[in-house]
Amino acid sequence: MSTRPGRVAAVRESGAGRRPAAWWADAVFYQIYPRSFADSNGDGDGDLAGVTSRLDHLVRLGVDALWLSPFYRSPMADGGYDVADPCDVDPRFGTLEDFDALVAAAHERGIRVTVDVVPNHFSEQHPWFGEALQAGPGSPERDRFVFRAGRGPGGDEPPNNWPSVFGGPAWTRVPGAGDAAGRRQWYLHLFAREQPDLNWDNPQVRAEFDRILRFWLDRGVDGFRVDVAHGMAKEPGLPDLDLSVVPGPDAGIVMPARADLRWDRDGLHEYLRGFRRVLDSYPGDRMAVGEAWVPDAERLARYVRPDELNLSFNFELTQASWDAADLRAAIERSLAAMAGVGAPCTWVLANHDVERTATRLGSGATGRARARAAALLQLALPGAAYLYNGDELALPNVDVPDEALRDPSWERSGHADRGRDGERVPMPWSGSAPPYGFSTTPDTWLPMPDGWASLTVAAQRADPASTLHLYRAALRLRHRFRGGPFAWLDAPPGCLAFSRGTVEVLVNAGAGAVPMPAGAVLLASGPLGDGVQGGGVLPPDTTVWTRRAGPRRR
Ligand code: GLC
């Protein structure tokens, strides 16, 4: 067990000012996709020792905590979200000793470590699934998963009409001879065929996840990101759903409709309470953040009721267009819903499942400028913030060639959905050609593009106007917001403006320049301009933080 972080935030008042806030309530978390962060052994895959070797980048960046996407034993059918042994490190990522060394090194630097837990499904290669196939229908082994008889003559059709998120049906028929009548059951997988869903009604499943949480808590982790928290409970009877509410294959991962019976069932909250009981039985403010793609902010707030998860990702900003009214509405909805349950908001611009911000909001220089402006918006909002590795470089998505695509959605959708590899390309650290210091082999697990020389960490470190310097400055200044009440301000058309205590934030998402606020500039996401009458102007696609001055605008 490693030491606790040295830079422990004191208990302080939350933005709402009502209850004392723990370290995570306004922390900046940095998501590491281990396969794409840093490769220490030259096999083309990132690994845990690679993460340890690059921790100083994260110290200089100023993040409070890491979230490591899965590094557990896995056949990698879904980038490690198909877990075959949740209490061991996959050899491609290193060993448990490497993990312990990473936690110790992070804690020494005052950085907390959180890891993924994947409770909705296991890998088909988890021993339980093999046992279930062996044991046959009606067995306790099958009851840990969701096995059902098929419909139609001979049970040849899936038990219901649910599609999988990655395309195709959410059911696969088990291999083998079947029962005396030759009937074979089907098993449910909301994701890939290789990811059988677990049955959380089964007490063995719940006990096993208590054990998994304890295993990592005992090794010193500070918390968890709960994968697909919105899928853990299944609708009783597994009825058909109205397929017109299901997003198409190229929609990506999106907020589901309320009528989509696959998600957000009320029964899951009892399971999350179980997670919370385990967390609270450990000292040191351990936490969990939920991945819950749910229809609206009110449903999201249910995941962070006082005895459930501590945080729940707010994906509204990953879906909002670059439009002041849209952004403001997304923020208002989220703040209101979270205030109702006394939980902080958890702002997300990007992750390994959604297009990178610099591509989603535009292309080339426009996309980059908007990504920078969005970062200063995200980091000024009250609550916690999650960054995705590469955000601090304003990396764009990459057009990965067909033959290099690895995401299961590509095959499962019959090549209709290119999947998420474009946002998972390895990090460029230095140099002027692939693999840009990520590895010693150019044969990286996803190919790295030409033309990234100016985007590397080394290049951006040398350029004071770079996105890397912008993020560093923003994280340095962020303490100024701590406990600062949030209030909307009047804003010019196309803009949104708010104050956080003594700081004023103006985001120009419109088409023309607008007058600068009166106070001194603390930080701007891009160059500022001169107005016709000598006053400064804020150009489009730019956010500025200013010190609040003089008579207040309302
Ligand atoms: C989550 C993960 C995603 C994965 C899915 C299935 O949405 O973020 O990457 O494919 O769960 O585990």
Side-chain angles (χ1 to χ4, degrees):
M1 175 138 163
S2 69
T3 53
R4 311 295 308 156
R7 203 179 60 193
V8 178
V11 171
R12 52 184 178 262
E13 290 297 301
S14 70
R18 267 184 269 123
R19 60 176 188 175
W23 66 270
W24 40 262
D26 62 1
V28 175
F29 291 80
Y30 183 93
Q31 179 192 356
I32 290 181
Y33 195 72
R35 205 172 182 188
S36 297
F37 194 67
D39 172 15
S40 72
N41 63 0
D43 65 358
D45 280 322
D47 47 47
L48 295 178
V51 176
T52 307
S53 75
R54 295 291 186 180
L55 279 178
D56 288 335
H57 167 67
L58 302 175
V59 172
R60 280 193 287 265
L61 185 57
V63 302
D64 301 301
L66 310 181
W67 153 33
L68 297 164
S69 279
F71 48 82
Y72 313 118
R73 272 195 192 265
S74 167
M76 303 297 277
D78 180 24
Y81 283 96
D82 48 320
V83 179
D85 182 349
C87 296
D88 200 5
V89 174
D90 194 275
R92 89 175 60 226
F93 296 119
T95 61
L96 278 170
E97 289 66 41
D98 292 337
F99 178 78
D100 292 341
L102 165 55
V103 173
H107 282 175
E108 268 161 30
R109 289 162 175 78
I111 295 181
R112 312 253 182 181
V113 179
T114 69
V115 298
D116 241 294
V117 60
V118 187
N120 182 66
H121 43 262
F122 275 157
S123 159
E124 57 164 357
Q125 291 189 24
H126 187 286
W128 276 13
F129 194 65
E131 291 165 18
L133 291 182
Q134 285 288 323
S139 61
E141 287 84 354
R142 283 212 176 172
D143 189 58
R144 294 158 168 167
F145 297 91
V146 185
F147 282 88
R148 291 288 183 280
R151 294 199 290 204
D156 289 344
E157 287 162 30
N160 71 19
N161 70 350
W162 293 7
S164 112
V165 174
F166 297 150
W171 295 92
T172 291
R173 203 163 193 192
V174 303
D179 64 14
R183 274 188 297 263
R184 288 176 287 126
Q185 285 191 308
W186 298 70
Y187 67 89
L188 177 70
H189 51 86
L190 292 177
F191 294 87
R193 183 184 60 72
E194 296 87 347
Q195 294 166 294
D197 277 48
L198 287 160
N199 170 21
W200 272 79
D201 284 340
N202 183 313
Q204 286 180 33
V205 172
R206 299 198 294 270
E208 178 63 2
F209 274 84
D210 275 11
R211 184 184 78 86
I212 295 166
L213 295 182
R214 290 181 191 286
F215 178 87
W216 295 105
L217 289 165
D218 289 342
R219 289 197 108 85
V221 305
D222 299 285
F224 299 92
R225 177 259 191 191
V226 183
D227 188 66
V228 196
H230 57 309
M232 288 166 73
K234 310 302 179 214
E235 179 70 5
L238 303 174
D240 277 348
L241 57 85
D242 169 5
L243 292 176
S244 70
V245 305
V246 173
D250 50 2
I253 296 188
V254 293
M255 320 266 204
R258 278 212 185 202
D260 191 336
L261 301 173
R262 296 171 300 172
W263 312 114
D264 195 33
R265 302 294 94 195
D266 289 343
L268 65 86
H269 294 281
E270 202 40 48
Y271 310 143
L272 300 181
R273 290 189 186 101
F275 279 19
R276 180 62 178 266
R277 283 192 291 274
V278 174
L279 289 166
D280 286 353
S281 72
Y282 279 76
D285 266 344
R286 315 290 176 108
M287 55 76 68
V289 60
E291 183 209 26
W293 293 86
V294 294
D296 54 49
E298 286 71 40
R299 295 297 297 183
L300 188 66
R302 295 160 59 88
Y303 290 72
V304 283
R305 288 177 289 192
D307 57 348
E308 300 193 36
L309 300 176
N310 307 86
L311 299 173
S312 192
F313 291 132
N314 183 317
F315 293 121
E316 296 241 15
L317 293 182
T318 70
Q319 315 275 298
S321 57
W322 187 242
D323 171 85
D326 229 33
L327 292 165
R328 180 169 170 157
I331 294 165
E332 273 175 345
R333 278 195 300 271
S334 310
L335 290 173
M338 292 295 146
V341 288
C345 279
T346 305
W347 305 104
V348 179
L349 283 176
N351 62 32
H352 64 295
D353 292 328
V354 299
E355 203 170 31
R356 284 192 175 274
T357 316
T359 301
R360 192 175 67 79
L361 296 181
S363 61
T366 304
R368 197 156 48 246
R370 289 180 181 168
R372 293 167 59 116
L376 290 201
L377 167 61
Q378 178 196 20
L379 293 169
L381 290 170
Y386 274 78
L387 313 181
Y388 175 46
N389 57 204
D391 279 356
E392 77 277 30
L393 308 176
L395 286 187
N397 260 57
V398 175
D399 288 324
V400 177
D402 291 3
E403 64 281 4
L405 290 173
R406 303 289 190 98
D407 190 326
S409 352
W410 174 238
E411 291 302 335
R412 284 194 62 87
S413 69
H415 297 184
D417 176 3
R418 300 189 66 77
R420 301 157 294 175
D421 293 317
E423 55 259 25
R424 297 177 177 179
V425 168
M427 283 273 288
W429 291 95
S430 58
S432 54
Y436 301 104
F438 163 74
S439 175
T440 49
T441 172
D443 198 11
T444 50
W445 79 277
L446 285 175
M448 300 181 72
D450 292 328
W452 271 14
S454 63
L455 289 178
T456 65
V457 172
Q460 296 206 31
R461 198 181 292 150
D463 173 6
S466 68
T467 305
L468 178 58
H469 278 278
L470 178 72
Y471 266 91
R472 284 188 191 167
L475 296 194
R476 253 197 325 272
L477 285 169
R478 203 175 127 89
H479 67 89
R480 287 180 183 254
F481 299 132
R482 200 153 276 160
F486 174 95
W488 290 109
L489 302 172
D490 286 343
C495 298
L496 59 162
F498 57 87
S499 61
R500 290 286 314 279
T502 59
V503 183
E504 213 166 293
V505 177
L506 178 62
V507 182
N508 186 354
V514 299
M516 281 286 289
V521 173
L522 295 169
L523 189 61
S525 68
L528 301 174
D530 292 325
V532 273
Q533 273 143 15
V537 295
L538 183 68
D541 303 329
T542 312
T543 298
V544 67
W545 294 355
T546 52
R547 190 173 297 127
R548 222 174 158 162
R552 294 174 169 196
R553 294 187 293 145
R554 280 190 317 106

